[in-house]
Amino acid sequence: MTDRSAISSARLRLAARPDFLRTTPLMRLSGRSLGIECAEVWLKLEHLQVGGSFKARGMLNRLLANTIPESGVIVASGGNAGIATAAAARSLGIRCEVYVPEVSPEAKRARLRSLDATVVVGGATYAEALQACLARQQETGALLTHAYDQPEVAAGAGTLALEMEEQARRLPDSVLVSVGGGGLIAGIAAWCEGRARVIALEPEGAPTLHAARAAGQPVDVAVGGIAADSLGARRIGDIAWQVSQRHVHDTLLLTDESIRSAQQWLWRELKLAVEPAAALGIAALQSGVYRPRPDETVGLILCGANCDPATVA
């Protein structure tokens, strides 16, 4: 179960490895300085985390909570979960095999190889890579680290919200969270637990949670668009679905054009080089898809930076 107790336990477990995880900065800006009519915008700079994304929290928590077989660990990932798993595995001295889809950028594959991971292209989409990964796991007996749908992974992601609350001594009024398979929003929503409005943001080309809400249950969706490499899950995870029904206020969709514009804005104005998935919060505010109250404090998660720097400007 992913709840505040599990997240607190994950925090204690991760604290045993202070040489690995980083406490990422919280940048607090006036809404007006960003051209937004709200009190403040908080940017949680999780793209500065080990491995370049929030995923390091959940993957290390998964490894520390389990006995690792001699065959090591295995994961299917668009890139970020694989990078985080590979980094955690190397820090613990264990083997790591990563199955990636064809849409994963070469920059992410190169990063995986630099972390001593074995990289296998498992199919055109994340779903196909996952199936190939599961078949391989049955052969080797390696510990499976899921990109988003395991309790330890979601709880580890939730430590991000716990850390943000500690840094600011309170939660923001609302938190806008990018959603792919849903591990991040599951952890954040479980920690906030109604104490802040949690809003799910998805690209129009990968609306997993939005489609699930419309159907009343998780359903498969077609996946494409600018953020498909990291938000390219075909279906919302079971954990995220369960948590979101209790603690996620709304789901909003963003166009590729607004995401790309926000990504460029973050670099041009704040010199923050992030991948498209990390720009959905700014896109929601700048496009007017999410309209905060004038007195509202809005928290955004800059969730990852594993992209080719040449594509940011």
Side-chain angles (χ1 to χ4, degrees):
M1 184 174 181
T2 302
D3 56 17
R4 295 186 70 195
S5 176
I7 293 167
S8 295
S9 296
R11 173 66 175 272
L12 290 174
R13 189 177 294 117
L14 296 175
R17 294 301 304 256
D19 56 320
F20 183 72
L21 284 181
R22 299 168 185 156
T23 299
T24 56
L26 182 66
M27 179 184 290
R28 300 173 64 170
L29 303 169
S30 70
R32 185 162 296 179
S33 71
L34 301 181
I36 308 299
E37 289 299 321
C38 67
E40 281 191 320
V41 177
W42 297 359
L43 303 179
K44 181 60 170 164
L45 307 185
E46 194 65 11
H47 67 296
L48 301 179
Q49 187 55 264
V50 170
S53 84
F54 76 95
K55 296 281 191 180
R57 298 173 184 268
M59 300 311 154
L60 181 61
N61 190 44
R62 169 73 174 165
L63 299 191
L64 293 178
N66 290 274
T67 300
I68 310 297
E70 288 187 11
S71 50
V73 297
I74 189 169
V75 62
S77 168
N80 286 348
I83 290 168
T85 302
R90 188 170 73 167
S91 76
L92 298 174
I94 59 181
R95 299 172 57 187
C96 180
E97 191 169 8
V98 183
Y99 278 70
V100 300
E102 293 172 7
V103 296
S104 62
E106 180 54 37
K108 292 186 178 182
R109 298 187 202 181
R111 179 61 176 150
L112 285 167
R113 297 186 190 100
S114 75
L115 292 168
D116 302 324
T118 299
V119 180
V120 181
V121 178
T125 65
Y126 169 76
E128 292 177 1
L130 176 59
Q131 290 306 308
C133 173
L134 293 174
R136 175 66 171 167
Q137 190 274 334
Q138 290 296 309
E139 295 175 3
T140 66
L143 177 72
L144 177 68
T145 298
H146 196 282
Y148 52 84
D149 206 20
Q150 288 173 327
E152 305 98 320
V153 172
T159 64
L160 188 160
L162 186 164
E163 186 175 287
M164 180 169 61
E165 183 173 7
E166 288 180 341
Q167 289 172 315
R169 296 191 174 89
R170 68 180 179 93
L171 288 169
D173 297 312
S174 56
V175 189
L176 309 188
V177 187
S178 301
V179 176
L184 179 58
I185 201 166
I188 289 177
W191 180 257
C192 292
E193 202 176 38
R195 297 179 299 142
R197 285 163 47 99
V198 178
I199 309 296
L201 304 178
E202 299 180 287
E204 289 182 343
T208 57
L209 183 54
H210 190 84
R213 285 198 162 194
Q217 62 183 3
V219 292
D220 287 347
V221 300
V223 173
I226 192 173
D229 64 308
S230 52
L231 302 181
R234 181 178 293 174
R235 173 186 289 242
I236 194 71
D238 290 339
I239 294 172
W241 175 242
Q242 293 164 11
V243 172
S244 70
Q245 291 184 86
R246 300 191 302 272
H247 302 308
V248 174
H249 179 79
D250 200 2
T251 64
L252 303 174
L253 300 181
L254 283 304
T255 66
D256 278 358
E257 291 76 16
S258 69
I259 296 167
R260 176 63 172 152
S261 177
Q263 182 190 27
Q264 293 172 329
W265 185 92
L266 282 163
W267 172 248
R268 185 176 65 251
E269 300 297 331
L270 300 180
K271 291 300 179 276
L272 297 174
V274 300
E275 61 193 69
L280 267 68
I282 289 291
L285 291 173
Q286 291 183 332
S287 67
V289 167
Y290 182 73
R291 296 184 182 276
R293 303 184 313 271
D295 63 345
E296 187 171 337
T297 297
V298 183
L300 308 181
I301 314 300
L302 301 192
C303 52
N306 289 307
C307 57
D308 183 348
T311 67
V312 173

